[in-house]
Amino acid sequence: MSKQGNIGVTSENIFPIIKKFLYSDHEIFLREIVSNAVDATQKLKTLASVGEFKGELGEQVIHITLDEKAGTIVVSDNGLGMTAEEIDKYINQIAFSGAEEFVEKYKNDSASIIGHFGLGFYSTFMVSKKVEIVTRSYKEGAVPMRWSCEGNPEYKLEETTRNHIGTDIILHIDDENKDFLDKDKISGLLKKYCRFLPVPIVFGKRQEWKNGKYVDTDEDNIVNETKPAWTRKPAELTDEDYKKFYRDLYPMSEEPLFWIHLNVDYPFNLTGILYFPRVKNNLELNRNKIQLYSNQVFVTDSVEGIVPEFLTLLHGVLDSPDIPLNVSRSYLQSDQNVKKISGHITKKVADRLEDIFKNDRPQFEEKWDSLKLFIQYGMLSDEKFYDRAAKFALLKDIDGTNFTFEEYKKLIKDSQTDKDNQLIYIYSSSTEDQYSYIQNAKDKGYSVLLMDGQLDVHVIGHLEQKFENTRFVRVDSDTIDNIIRKGDNGKVDLSEEQRTALQGIFKSQMPKLEKMEFNVAFEALGENTNPVLLTQSEYMRRMREMSAMQPGMSFYGEMPDSFNVTLNINHPLVKKVLADEEAACAEHLSPVLADIKGWEARQSDLYDKQDKKKSEDVADAEKEDLENTNKKLEELRNQRDQILSDFASNNKLVHELIDLALLSNGLLKGEALSRFIKRSIQMIG
Ligand code: ADP
Ligand code: MG
């Protein structure tokens, strides 16, 4: 029998589509052809096992042969083959409706076109000027057939000779795609797409190193592993097997923390092994390490939309024939099966973590640093996962002790509840930089958490919403008595003049730095607390931190960093500064202060008078009077500040106190630091 004809119904459209639009993923032709060969092989096996095929199965191997000279790639299988009718049905009659509309819609999405039309076989025309099929069906009396087509709607079907059951697909590679006629290229593609196919695939001969070069041996070079770990039963596998599989997948990675072997067959089909990698930092670098397979055929390693975002930090393999693989991403994301699968994976991951936490808490704690980023990311992005993880997520204090949320709350409930019934979680982002503040908190018997992770800023905000009546406050954001207010603080017993003096003294001597502002405040903190403390408001700091991470909040990033300089008026050294100032400045300052008082009284009189009138009714003389008064006051105040600043600039104690406070915050550097050291040595001597 010999036949000539046209392919399909609207087949004029197929070849332009293939040539024009499917250019992006040319290489997948190999995956399509080899997986067809695998299907054919497995079908024959099934037929043999149910007794429909009674002949010799023979060696079930797929051969891939590259002939650079002839310009061909041949994929041969010993599978079930095709009869002439089957070629007609499966190859010639391509289900094809509404082609033009579809092409319009998906012209940039080659994968979906291939999948939608079952164009697997036709993808060969992306790289071939001519494709031949030589096949012999397992069916008794079937005549071997040769089909050929040159990339146009005409095909040829004729009888041929072939001894074995099975199929050869012969690709005559076209001129633009000659780079596929390269052994290394094909090896690479086989490794990518066919590495775990269930039927042995032979590509050339195994090579060995002999007399200074590689030479072929007699042995076939099998490129794939037919029974990869995820397809085996967990009971058959040792820890070493799992680790070895991980090394095979990611030769450069450190050993994984642990893994989950997924094995679901209802309500969908899903197998796979997910590994928890060792990660300390950087969410981006570790993405896209999950490989997605469909019946052991590699499909993709970008799994967004298929697994929840935070799970893309895991490594490993997922295999499901139920995930519609050849469709577009947006379709995937709305697919019900995909949603179920992703929910299921989340649950399994939470189960596994909870399991380890419950049964082996020491191991869990030991691995927490590596797990933390992943678990926190999950808690921030997935409500359901948060609810599960709230039982095993840990908070670590600065001494390295771990607590669950529940445990920690119990620990601090009595001591760290403030007068307004808020529970205060104190945290540090650096035990080095915030050492003295941590000491102050510890002296009070408070616990301090270490929150130095990449996501901790976000986690803090999230937990404040989840926990009731709770605030997180960084240990250096205020004096410890203000962080947890138990009652009213000690009374600040200073006269107006004394306040003005201290403010003038300290403000004038703080370093003048760009984008840095200092405000002087007073507290009565007792004799044992440091004389000068530098703190930064929790709110402002957090806003700045968030703005650094999120575009669109740059307003906060533009604001100056503002610090509070808190003077502890109970401290003898602060008292001494004040006493020294009074002794040194009183003579010059008293008359100025008296003048200021006088002029201030006059100013407020004038304001009072003018306030009662409409502005048109205020006489020019009156306006001038007020202007002059204001000017005079400004002069006097400048005079006052100058006297204080002159005093302060020559006062070693003031500088020493300021430098010590800066030093406690890690803000004393460079020249200022060396000046401090020199001065300190002088003062000791
Ligand atoms: P799909 O694999 O999705 O069915 P393809 O376009 O890849 O679509 O293949 C079309 C059909 O051609 C297959 O379903 C199968 O019936 C037949 N076929 C392709 N390759 C082979 C082969 N090597 N052996 C037997 N039949 C084959
Ligand atoms: Mg196919």
Side-chain angles (χ1 to χ4, degrees):
M1 176 191 132
S2 167
K3 189 175 171 179
Q4 241 162 323
N6 285 315
I7 295 166
V9 209
T10 52
S11 55
E12 288 94 308
N13 290 308
I14 292 171
F15 291 100
I17 294 168
I18 291 165
K19 288 279 179 198
K20 228 167 151 179
F21 298 128
L22 306 191
Y23 53 85
S24 57
D25 279 335
H26 278 180
E27 61 180 42
I28 59 131
F29 79 91
L30 193 61
R31 172 186 83 185
E32 295 300 325
I33 292 306
V34 177
S35 64
N36 282 350
V38 168
D39 291 346
T41 308
Q42 288 185 317
K43 282 180 194 159
L44 188 63
K45 261 193 225 166
T46 311
L47 290 168
S49 70
V50 298
E52 265 185 53
F53 172 62
K54 299 202 173 60
E56 244 336 279
L57 258 185
E59 199 195 8
Q60 292 295 313
V61 177
I62 292 163
H63 281 270
I64 291 161
T65 318
L66 173 70
D67 186 334
E68 282 141 7
K69 280 209 193 86
T72 56
I73 298 171
V74 181
V75 178
S76 319
D77 65 65
N78 305 319
L80 84 175
M82 281 180 275
T83 61
E85 292 72 38
E86 284 163 341
I87 293 179
D88 217 28
K89 189 166 165 199
Y90 299 126
I91 303 292
N92 294 339
Q93 310 282 328
I94 307 155
F96 213 87
S97 58
E100 273 134 306
E101 185 195 330
F102 187 86
V103 170
E104 242 334 283
K105 201 162 158 196
Y106 290 108
K107 58 185 165 202
N108 298 319
D109 193 349
S110 55
S112 73
I113 294 182
I114 294 176
H116 188 86
F117 293 107
L119 279 184
F121 168 75
Y122 277 94
S123 67
T124 51
F125 286 98
M126 294 192 293
V127 297
S128 311
K129 55 185 179 225
K130 177 177 175 187
V131 178
E132 293 175 273
I133 305 174
V134 175
T135 183
R136 177 172 165 179
S137 165
Y138 75 98
K139 287 180 183 159
E140 234 161 280
V143 183
M145 299 303 295
R146 170 187 300 271
W147 177 93
S148 66
C149 176
E150 301 194 2
N152 52 41
E154 283 128 49
Y155 67 89
K156 211 165 164 198
L157 185 61
E158 62 201 342
E159 291 181 11
T160 185
T161 49
R162 182 184 162 98
N163 293 333
H164 311 285
I165 293 169
T167 305
D168 286 359
I169 307 287
I170 303 152
L171 312 181
H172 299 265
I173 302 299
D174 63 28
D175 293 343
E176 295 99 83
N177 290 288
K178 286 237 180 299
D179 53 326
F180 286 109
L181 293 169
D182 177 71
K183 196 171 161 229
D184 292 337
K185 174 104 180 176
I186 297 296
S187 285
L189 292 179
L190 290 173
K191 181 150 193 209
K192 178 170 172 188
Y193 291 107
C194 306
R195 190 171 176 193
F196 298 117
L197 284 177
V199 177
I201 292 158
V202 172
F203 182 51
K205 296 290 176 192
R206 212 175 52 75
Q207 293 199 309
E208 72 183 9
W209 186 252
K210 217 172 180 177
N211 302 331
K213 58 176 180 199
Y214 278 109
V215 290
D216 282 357
T217 61
D218 293 339
E219 242 175 275
D220 282 343
N221 175 40
I222 297 177
V223 299
N224 58 328
E225 197 185 327
T226 54
K227 272 189 155 293
W230 82 84
T231 64
R232 294 161 61 192
K233 290 200 181 68
E236 287 174 13
L237 295 161
T238 63
D239 283 2
E240 191 37 49
D241 292 328
Y242 284 109
K243 287 179 194 167
K244 182 178 175 305
F245 184 58
Y246 187 78
R247 280 197 301 273
D248 288 346
L249 291 175
Y250 319 105
M252 308 304 281
S253 294
E254 273 184 76
E255 202 169 273
L257 294 171
F258 33 72
W259 48 85
I260 306 171
H261 196 144
L262 298 159
N263 201 339
V264 195
D265 43 37
Y266 184 83
F268 44 78
N269 231 294
L270 177 72
T271 53
I273 302 173
L274 290 178
Y275 291 91
F276 289 80
R278 271 174 210 277
V279 251
K280 289 251 162 79
N281 248 314
N282 207 324
L283 293 168
E284 295 313 319
L285 273 180
N286 300 291
R287 290 282 167 86
N288 287 335
K289 288 287 192 76
I290 296 182
Q291 302 182 354
L292 198 61
Y293 289 77
S294 173
N295 285 325
Q296 294 172 243
V297 184
F298 173 82
V299 177
T300 179
D301 54 9
S302 82
V303 294
E304 306 103 275
I306 297 158
V307 305
E309 162 103 340
F310 76 100
L311 293 177
T312 58
L313 294 175
L314 296 182
H315 296 177
V317 169
L318 292 174
D319 188 340
S320 175
D322 290 341
I323 297 177
L325 296 168
N326 283 323
V327 298
S328 66
R329 293 232 156 263
S330 56
Y331 182 87
L332 260 189
Q333 279 152 11
S334 60
D335 185 80
Q336 283 309 313
N337 257 332
V338 172
K339 277 193 187 141
K340 272 188 222 148
I341 287 174
S342 118
H344 180 83
I345 297 172
T346 307
K347 185 180 163 309
K348 282 286 167 193
V349 166
D351 283 348
R352 177 80 175 118
L353 290 168
E354 190 173 339
D355 205 53
I356 299 169
F357 173 75
K358 276 193 182 144
N359 297 320
D360 192 353
R361 181 152 172 181
Q363 192 206 165
F364 188 87
E365 290 195 7
E366 186 197 315
K367 291 174 176 168
W368 172 250
D369 285 344
S370 286
L371 282 175
K372 176 175 156 173
L373 190 68
F374 165 77
I375 293 178
Q376 289 186 333
Y377 190 22
M379 294 177 88
L380 288 169
S381 58
D382 188 319
E383 271 304 292
K384 280 207 178 107
F385 187 77
Y386 177 93
D387 293 339
R388 297 289 310 273
K391 288 182 216 132
F392 53 73
L394 298 177
L395 294 169
K396 197 196 274 272
D397 75 9
I398 45 153
D399 300 318
T401 311
N402 290 300
F403 305 86
T404 61
F405 294 171
E406 218 31 64
E407 290 164 355
Y408 195 71
K409 187 174 174 181
K410 229 185 215 162
L411 177 82
I412 61 168
K413 186 137 191 45
D414 291 334
S415 58
Q416 294 181 210
T417 302
D418 74 5
K419 66 184 172 62
D420 302 319
N421 219 16
Q422 291 274 316
L423 188 54
I424 310 296
Y425 286 61
I426 306 174
Y427 69 95
S428 163
S429 58
S430 163
T431 50
E432 289 262 299
D433 294 351
Q434 293 147 15
Y435 184 84
S436 62
Y437 298 89
I438 293 172
Q439 263 345 93
N440 290 347
K442 278 188 158 177
D443 288 347
K444 289 269 178 184
Y446 298 154
S447 165
V448 180
L449 291 170
L450 183 63
M451 295 293 232
D452 60 352
Q454 198 182 357
L455 290 179
D456 279 336
V457 189
H458 300 277
V459 168
I460 285 167
H462 200 66
L463 295 183
E464 279 179 340
Q465 284 171 21
K466 292 279 176 188
F467 298 171
E468 275 168 20
N469 298 326
T470 297
R471 267 192 305 126
F472 280 72
V473 185
R474 201 167 91 176
V475 68
D476 61 343
S477 60
D478 210 331
T479 61
I480 193 65
D481 289 323
N482 279 341
I483 288 177
I484 304 181
R485 280 185 180 269
K486 288 296 174 69
D488 291 327
N489 290 345
K491 199 168 165 285
V492 176
D493 200 5
L494 288 178
S495 70
E496 199 47 48
E497 265 120 68
Q498 287 172 319
R499 280 175 189 262
T500 310
L502 284 173
Q503 240 149 11
I505 290 168
F506 280 91
K507 203 156 183 172
S508 67
Q509 303 309 309
M510 292 308 289
K512 311 266 175 297
L513 297 171
E514 209 188 316
K515 281 201 164 200
M516 192 121 42
E517 244 178 46
F518 297 97
N519 308 305
V520 178
F522 306 98
E523 293 277 357
L525 300 171
E527 293 188 5
N528 295 322
T529 303
N530 287 352
V532 183
L533 288 153
L534 268 190
T535 59
Q536 196 184 16
S537 126
E538 175 76 17
Y539 177 77
M540 282 305 295
R541 204 204 56 251
R542 255 196 236 180
M543 286 303 157
R544 291 176 67 87
E545 282 170 0
M546 304 278 263
S547 75
M549 283 183 264
Q550 290 166 20
M553 279 184 69
S554 58
F555 162 71
Y556 287 102
E558 293 303 311
M559 305 242 315
D561 233 348
S562 76
F563 285 88
N564 283 327
V565 183
T566 304
L567 304 181
N568 174 13
I569 58 138
N570 297 136
H571 199 281
L573 288 174
V574 174
K575 288 182 181 162
K576 181 165 164 32
V577 170
L578 205 52
D580 287 353
E581 178 271 331
E582 272 160 12
C585 306
E587 197 184 320
H588 289 103
L589 201 54
S590 298
V592 179
L593 292 178
D595 277 358
I596 290 177
K597 268 216 174 107
W599 283 95
E600 276 174 350
R602 183 168 171 72
Q603 183 194 42
S604 96
D605 266 2
L606 288 170
Y607 271 128
D608 272 0
K609 264 188 220 152
Q610 296 190 9
D611 271 354
K612 283 178 197 129
K613 296 183 191 167
K614 283 191 189 145
S615 78
E616 320 70 281
D617 299 339
V618 181
D620 283 349
E622 280 177 288
K623 280 184 187 160
E624 212 171 294
D625 200 356
L626 182 58
E627 245 167 57
N628 287 337
T629 308
N630 286 344
K631 227 194 223 154
K632 183 73 193 166
L633 260 175
E634 197 185 307
E635 256 166 47
L636 285 167
R637 283 180 184 142
N638 283 341
Q639 225 174 312
R640 173 197 69 192
D641 290 347
Q642 193 57 52
I643 294 170
L644 290 168
S645 159
D646 286 346
F647 160 77
S649 68
N650 291 318
N651 189 296
K652 282 186 187 164
L653 178 55
V654 170
H655 287 140
E656 196 73 0
L657 289 175
I658 289 173
D659 285 353
L660 284 167
L662 289 168
L663 197 62
S664 298
N665 285 60
L667 290 172
L668 195 64
K669 294 193 180 121
E671 199 191 336
L673 180 60
S674 95
R675 241 186 289 131
F676 164 75
I677 293 169
K678 260 202 189 123
R679 182 190 331 112
S680 299
I681 292 168
Q682 279 170 10
M683 284 173 81
I684 297 165

